[in-house]
Amino acid sequence: MNAGESPLPLDGIVVVELTDNIAGPWCGRQFAALGAEVWKLEHPDGGDISRSLGPFIDDDHVESSVPWLYLNEGKKSAAVAIDTAAGLALARQLLARTDVLIVSLTASNAAAAALDRESLTRDYPDLVVTSLTPYGMTGPKRDYRGCELTEYAASGLMHLTGEPGREPLQVGIPMAEFAAGQAAAATTIAGLIRRDAIATGQYADIAITEVGAALLDFQLAFFVGRGYLAERLGNLNDKGYPWGIFPCRDGWAAILAGPADRWPQAAKIAGIPELAEARFATAQSRQDHRDELEAYLLPWLLEHDRQELFELGQSAGLAWGYVRDAAEVADCVQLKADGFFDSIEHPRLGPVPSADLPYTLAGVEPRRRPPPLLGQHTGALLEDVLGLGSAAIVELEESRVVKRRDDAGW
Amino acid sequence: MVKTTTIPTSEARTTAPLPLAGVRVVDLTRAWAGPSCTAFLGELGADVIKVEAPEGESLRGGLRSAARGETPRPFNASATFNIINRNKRGMAVDLSAPEGREVMLRLVAESDCVVENFRPGVIERLGLGFESLREVNPRIVLASNGGYGHAGPYAGYRGYGVAIEPMSGLFSVTGYEGDRPQRSGVDHPDPQAGLSMATALLIAIFVARRTGRGRHVKTSLLRAMAACFAPRVIEHLALGTAPTRHGNESDRLFPHGVYRCAGEDQWVALAVVDDGQWDALCEIVGRPDLARDERMRTAEGRRAQRNLVDEAITAWTAIRPKREAEAALQQRGVTAAAVQSVADLLADEQLESRQFFRTIDHADWGAHAHIGSRVQLDGKRPPVRPAPMFAEHTDEILGGLLDLPPEEIDRLDERHIVPREPWRAER
């Protein structure tokens, strides 16, 4: 517990991240915000790949990458080359003092480093380990490479996205990775709950492609239930009609017949009594009479703005919405009321926009600290945590196993 | 922090109970976000008790559902209900009746968490708000999921995934280059909120078991998705950019996209993430000349010659099945994956070797493939249990867990407060 602050849920929990990119760090970022001490072991040459992904806030292409900043708030960074025997030995010393390890290594690399399931369970029996890899640590594809694009494809999500007759699409934000990182967070906490009860660790093997495939509840149900194989439908939807976006005066409005019993309200608010006729009374009949329905609906939509349609629909109990871009999401009055988007003071960049966690816990004010500079805490790790003497540390630096920095840099 | 372990080896670990063994969750949620959250908790070993309305949860298809005429109980044969609600026990309670509320509070006394997704204010009006729950169980966690949120200007607004996705910004960056906004095929807001809710409530349970005090945790479809869209907002606020749609392109990598394979609507996705992969790709597609071409040494250089690159790749992929293309590419270390349909997933050798899908036999629906679990724990997949039939576990919960005498259970059934059959008041 930090003096003067209320206790955070994960105070006293030590987490090590041997992971990078999106899924693993997304998990670790939540732990850091909730009080855990999160150590990223980053390679001295460049560190976490998201540092180099961009877009960049300024011309510092190591410290100012937007995905890096968002995903790694509140963590510590030690620049350790764990692809060396000496670096791996340091990591192992740290693991002996750790509660949680989030790790992304292929099966072969993990085995070679004795960071696979058998070795970790044997060597660190109380450690809660969450492995996050594209395909998992077992099976014929365990050493396959993956990135968001291919994970979205392999999981079944891409096939359903885009227009029929055109190529399938990824979505514009890395949802396979965000879903997997979120599943990892929940699974890790479950391991900590068990550890409090029966004093054992856990090894969770999470495949990003499997978390993605697990989102296909409806599509699997359609297929096993009645043999209907879901295809991409563009703006149409298996769940009803209308149930998508339509052009309106100033953009795109999300118009849906939902809740289903509220559809007749659309006739009222549009002033188009025909919309309440029997031929439009059920999801199936609206689908069957789609052209007729659109003949009434589309011209009306083109006479109104998105926000107006949103408010009109909601006031009638219809779950309408509209397409918003980044600027509009930043200005969302609901998210503003939640204080969701905010700002973090970065030691080098100054104030950097940021966002709160995807959930709130009553009585908990998440800890908001900036992401670390690469290797910012190498010294602290070696001296304070691992208790190494200066001669040993210099030796490690000279053999390029670790890198310390002073305030000016390396 | 480091304790003496009682289970030192990996073999012994495989016989340890699941992580959430002994955790009990009362699930009042309906539709998708909440039920997918609690299905995940069930995978991790929690005892999830799904409490439905007396007429049955909407996804069962209602009393009128006669779609599956082969069964006398069609409300137990809804594929979507059964897939989404695996790993749970089930009962039905009329929460608006005082005795129904009492049954709930007795359940709460034996539970770690209540999960709900009613509209704001409803749970309190039912007398089951956090303060009421806390009185019977100081450790109880209440987890509430909403559409737009529980307070604020949109708090009363109805939130469905298909509308929250565009509200969250995802549509604005999804679509073909220069073309209209597109939805995701799966509708991400519900399952993403479900995973976020699982995280939040488990954190609260972790603390409650240490401190003896629970708390109220909340999320919403909007918030869960905004957290994923946030980097685009940050980019806009810091740089003034207006992120938009670029198909399958990456701003950094080239090639990065999908290529047609043999057959109808068959594709392979591939990305060249480092120079070694570019050389390997050129060799595989039989174009070593491209690897030697100085213009192609960087992603930008390749992008400037995109027609050349795309044609070279397509000439190779178009005549092969997508699985063959994926295997050939991955064997040489190139990041590639066949674009899979649900049918493809069910035949996927990786998923099969990892037992991702499992066939479960449901008494009123028969044997069907289900999503088994999304994580492998200590070398094993957790077992999967079928979704509950309507009120299937009423007697074992009221009698076994709550110690109510049989006469009392019968009386609650007769009065439709805890019915054993779906029931709706005549209107």
Side-chain angles (χ1 to χ4, degrees):
Chain A
M1 189 184 314
N2 298 306
E5 297 172 16
S6 18
L8 288 169
L10 302 180
D11 269 341
I13 299 289
V14 178
V15 178
V16 170
E17 275 192 19
L18 286 179
T19 181
D20 71 358
N21 200 19
I22 298 164
W26 177 234
C27 174
R29 177 231 154 106
Q30 294 172 56
F31 280 61
L34 294 172
E37 186 177 318
V38 180
W39 286 92
K40 288 184 73 79
L41 298 187
E42 299 189 75
H43 200 281
D45 296 333
D48 187 316
I49 192 173
S50 70
R51 290 178 177 275
S52 62
L53 286 181
F56 302 97
I57 293 194
D58 69 12
D59 50 23
D60 181 336
H61 286 209
V62 175
E63 303 298 347
S64 82
S65 161
V66 167
W68 158 260
L69 293 167
Y70 178 61
L71 293 167
N72 295 282
E73 267 192 33
K75 301 177 189 174
K76 297 185 175 174
S77 168
V80 178
I82 68 152
D83 53 348
T84 65
L88 188 55
L90 291 173
R92 298 184 71 83
Q93 285 180 54
L94 179 57
L95 287 182
R97 298 162 167 76
T98 293
D99 299 284
V100 170
L101 169 64
I102 307 167
V103 57
S104 300
L105 291 170
T106 60
S108 339
N109 289 344
L115 294 174
D116 59 334
R117 178 173 68 84
E118 281 78 9
S119 308
L120 286 170
T121 308
R122 177 195 65 225
D123 298 339
Y124 308 98
D126 300 301
L127 187 62
V128 174
V129 181
T130 299
S131 162
L132 266 166
T133 56
Y135 291 88
M137 299 297 275
T138 62
K141 299 188 183 180
R142 64 188 177 277
D143 283 328
Y144 272 24
R145 298 190 65 173
C147 62
E148 172 67 31
L149 177 81
T150 62
E151 288 155 2
Y152 210 74
S155 64
L157 296 168
M158 184 186 275
H159 179 81
L160 303 170
T161 304
E163 302 270 358
R166 295 185 73 170
E167 74 269 26
L169 290 176
Q170 66 179 357
V171 293
I173 52 182
M175 286 309 300
E177 294 264 338
F178 273 114
Q182 200 59 61
T187 304
T188 306
I189 301 289
L192 288 172
I193 289 173
R194 180 173 75 172
R195 198 184 69 160
D196 273 1
I198 62 168
T200 188
Q202 169 175 286
Y203 184 95
D205 171 358
I206 300 183
I208 296 168
T209 47
E210 288 176 11
V211 178
L215 306 182
L216 298 173
D217 288 316
F218 282 90
Q219 289 75 16
L220 180 67
F222 296 154
F223 191 63
V224 304
R226 51 186 163 107
Y228 166 66
L229 183 61
E231 305 293 345
R232 56 191 171 283
L233 300 172
N235 187 52
L236 298 180
N237 197 309
D238 311 49
K239 293 175 185 158
Y241 191 79
W243 204 269
I245 62 169
F246 298 85
C248 61
R249 183 161 60 191
D250 67 342
W252 299 85
I255 305 295
L256 29 157
D261 60 354
R262 289 260 141 200
W263 175 250
Q265 295 298 317
K268 289 207 180 82
I269 59 181
I272 305 174
E274 290 86 346
L275 290 177
E277 283 173 9
R279 61 185 154 140
F280 301 131
T282 68
Q284 188 59 57
S285 67
R286 286 190 290 274
Q287 179 74 267
D288 295 341
H289 296 271
R290 207 166 88 213
D291 292 343
E292 298 159 53
L293 195 157
E294 288 187 5
Y296 290 116
L297 186 63
L298 299 194
W300 177 68
L301 294 176
L302 286 170
E303 290 165 5
H304 297 274
D305 292 341
R306 317 164 276 166
Q307 184 129 25
E308 189 194 343
L309 290 165
F310 167 57
E311 300 285 0
L312 212 51
Q314 289 289 351
S315 68
L318 288 157
W320 292 3
Y322 60 100
V323 173
R324 299 200 289 191
D325 62 15
E328 290 159 338
V329 174
D331 278 342
C332 171
V333 294
Q334 175 63 35
L335 292 171
K336 280 201 163 140
D338 292 336
F340 183 72
F341 291 113
D342 50 26
S343 175
I344 286 261
E345 187 67 26
H346 188 279
R348 187 175 284 183
L349 304 170
V352 169
S354 186
D356 201 348
L357 296 177
Y359 39 78
T360 61
L361 303 141
V364 173
E365 195 60 48
R367 182 177 65 192
R368 306 300 301 282
R369 294 187 191 162
L373 305 177
L374 177 56
Q376 181 174 345
H377 306 93
T378 310
L381 173 71
L382 300 177
E383 294 158 24
D384 306 333
V385 178
L386 301 183
L388 300 185
S390 43
I393 295 175
V394 165
E395 159 92 44
L396 289 166
E397 278 184 306
E398 280 171 2
S399 44
R400 303 163 76 85
V401 173
V402 305
K403 243 178 164 182
R404 282 185 298 180
R405 67 191 301 143
D406 56 33
D407 285 352
W410 294 120
Chain B
M1 172 205 346
V2 176
K3 303 173 188 171
T4 311
T5 190
T6 57
I7 309 191
T9 67
S10 66
E11 297 98 70
R13 180 83 71 71
T14 60
T15 60
L18 289 172
L20 297 184
V23 173
R24 183 168 295 117
V25 177
V26 179
D27 178 6
L28 304 180
T29 66
R30 59 275 302 271
W32 192 23
S36 73
C37 165
T38 57
F40 186 32
L41 300 176
E43 282 170 36
L44 297 175
D47 175 20
V48 178
I49 297 177
K50 185 176 179 80
V51 175
E52 304 180 45
E55 67 213 45
E57 208 232 81
S58 54
L59 273 189
R60 286 188 182 275
L63 295 174
R64 297 179 309 279
S65 168
R68 286 150 287 280
E70 305 90 51
T71 170
R73 290 149 64 87
F75 47 85
N76 288 335
S78 159
T80 49
F81 180 89
N82 289 339
I83 295 281
I84 291 170
N85 290 283
R86 59 196 187 273
N87 297 321
K88 304 172 196 177
R89 297 200 280 170
M91 61 189 291
V93 179
D94 180 359
L95 296 176
S96 66
E99 283 176 277
R101 178 175 177 269
E102 273 170 44
V103 167
M104 257 300 292
L105 290 177
R106 290 181 75 144
L107 258 182
V108 167
E110 306 296 326
S111 304
D112 292 87
C113 181
V114 175
V115 192
E116 61 96 6
N117 66 344
F118 295 119
R119 305 201 49 234
V122 170
I123 193 81
E124 288 81 13
R125 281 201 298 280
L126 290 171
L128 295 170
F130 183 64
E131 294 306 322
S132 306
L133 302 185
R134 192 154 70 147
E135 270 170 39
V136 302
N137 184 351
R139 280 186 2 175
I140 197 71
V141 171
L142 175 61
S144 299
N145 185 53
Y148 287 90
H150 296 83
Y154 296 168
Y157 285 18
R158 295 175 190 269
Y160 282 37
V162 67
I164 298 271
E165 217 179 63
M167 293 295 278
S168 73
L170 182 147
F171 272 55
S172 68
V173 292
T174 301
Y176 303 97
E177 178 79 47
D179 203 274
R180 61 173 282 161
Q182 295 279 344
R183 51 180 284 260
S184 77
V186 75
D187 293 335
H188 283 284
D190 286 74
Q192 194 65 21
L195 292 171
S196 303
M197 175 59 57
T199 307
L201 71 87
L202 288 175
I203 291 166
I205 290 174
F206 173 71
V207 175
R209 285 177 162 223
R210 286 184 161 195
T211 65
R213 290 188 58 235
R215 72 186 69 233
H216 196 173
V217 308
K218 299 178 187 175
T219 193
S220 66
L221 303 188
L222 178 67
R223 195 177 176 118
M225 289 303 294
C228 304
F229 189 70
R232 299 308 202 128
V233 170
I234 293 168
E235 177 194 331
H236 164 74
L237 290 173
L239 297 169
T241 57
T244 186
R245 302 175 278 289
H246 297 294
N248 288 315
E249 303 259 304
S250 154
D251 50 13
R252 237 183 9 106
L253 305 176
F254 195 90
H256 180 282
V258 300
Y259 294 86
R260 217 181 251 290
C261 293
E264 179 154 341
D265 196 25
Q266 303 291 300
W267 305 83
V268 65
L270 72 89
V272 165
V273 307
D274 57 51
D275 290 343
Q277 288 192 337
W278 172 242
D279 291 338
L281 175 62
C282 292
E283 232 185 273
I284 290 168
V285 305
R287 295 295 304 273
D289 60 301
L290 295 179
R292 291 191 296 267
D293 188 330
E294 277 310 306
R295 299 173 298 177
M296 309 282 194
R297 291 322 302 168
T298 63
E300 281 325 299
R302 296 190 284 270
R303 194 194 303 274
Q305 303 294 323
R306 62 187 309 141
N307 288 341
L308 201 58
V309 175
D310 285 343
E311 276 164 25
I313 297 173
T314 306
W316 182 81
T317 61
I319 55 175
R320 338 192 106 65
K322 63 190 180 194
R323 288 198 195 287
E324 189 187 302
E326 171 192 296
L329 290 161
Q330 285 280 5
Q331 215 161 48
R332 296 291 311 279
V334 178
T335 307
V339 178
Q340 306 218 84
S341 68
V342 167
D344 291 329
L345 292 179
L346 287 163
D348 180 305
E349 56 167 352
Q350 177 69 4
L351 294 178
E352 192 177 328
S353 91
R354 286 172 60 84
Q355 300 181 290
F356 176 77
F357 292 109
R358 308 263 267 291
T359 298
I360 311 177
D361 204 347
H362 186 283
D364 273 359
W365 185 43
H368 297 275
H370 285 59
I371 292 161
S373 69
R374 65 207 83 190
V375 304
Q376 192 191 70
L377 294 169
D378 295 312
K380 290 189 321 183
R381 290 287 183 174
V384 191
R385 293 158 280 146
M389 294 185 287
F390 181 86
E392 180 178 350
H393 302 94
T394 302
D395 288 76
E396 81 185 42
I397 293 168
L398 293 185
L401 180 62
L402 301 186
D403 278 330
L404 297 190
E407 317 82 69
E408 177 66 16
I409 302 174
D410 289 339
R411 204 178 63 82
L412 288 167
D413 177 21
E414 281 150 28
R415 297 186 52 215
H416 311 296
I417 294 176
V418 186
R420 289 192 177 98
E421 295 291 325
W423 182 83
R424 177 191 274 183
E426 295 309 308
R427 287 188 185 151

